[in-house]
Amino acid sequence: MKKLYYFNKIILITTAIFYLTIILGLYAQIALGIIQILSAIGILVLWKNYDYNQKKHLKTYWLFVIIYGLRWLFFKESVDDIWLLDIIILPMTLAVYFVWILHKLKEITL
């Protein structure tokens, strides 16, 4: 779990650095999102090893990810109005939250 945490942390920091050029940051954010969704699916295998608070944080993360994804599917028109929030701030906030969750989970051995 420690390797997964450090890998996600490095990708998150790299994405933040790439945002200095905006365009590279957007591309890096796509890769970050894919990596984090796959990581989140992968850590569900260890679900029974988590305590109540860890499960609560994972459920909250998945709830926010699903709401964010559904917002893109069903409310595309409103995305144009607040694009900075929808394209950069919300996904990066979710990414930071996921890395924080991984930090809390990193002591669980695979």
Side-chain angles (χ1 to χ4, degrees), residues 2 7 11 23 29-30 34 50 53-54 68 70 72 76 104 108:
K2 286 181 183 180
F7 179 68
I11 299 295
I23 298 299
Q29 187 173 301
I30 292 169
I34 292 168
Y50 305 142
N53 284 330
Q54 293 166 331
Y68 181 74
L70 291 175
W72 274 98
K76 292 178 186 174
K104 296 294 184 183
I108 296 174

Side-chain angles (χ1 to χ4, degrees), residues 13-58:
I13 291 168
T14 303
T15 301
I17 291 169
F18 280 164
Y19 262 113
L20 294 173
T21 65
I22 304 294
I23 298 299
L24 287 178
L26 291 170
Y27 285 122
Q29 187 173 301
I30 292 169
L32 172 67
I34 292 168
I35 290 168
Q36 287 198 332
I37 294 295
L38 292 175
S39 296
I41 291 169
I43 64 174
L44 290 178
V45 172
L46 300 173
W47 185 259
K48 65 181 178 292
N49 297 337
Y50 305 142
D51 65 24
Y52 173 77
N53 284 330
Q54 293 166 331
K55 288 179 181 179
K56 184 176 77 169
H57 286 298
L58 283 169

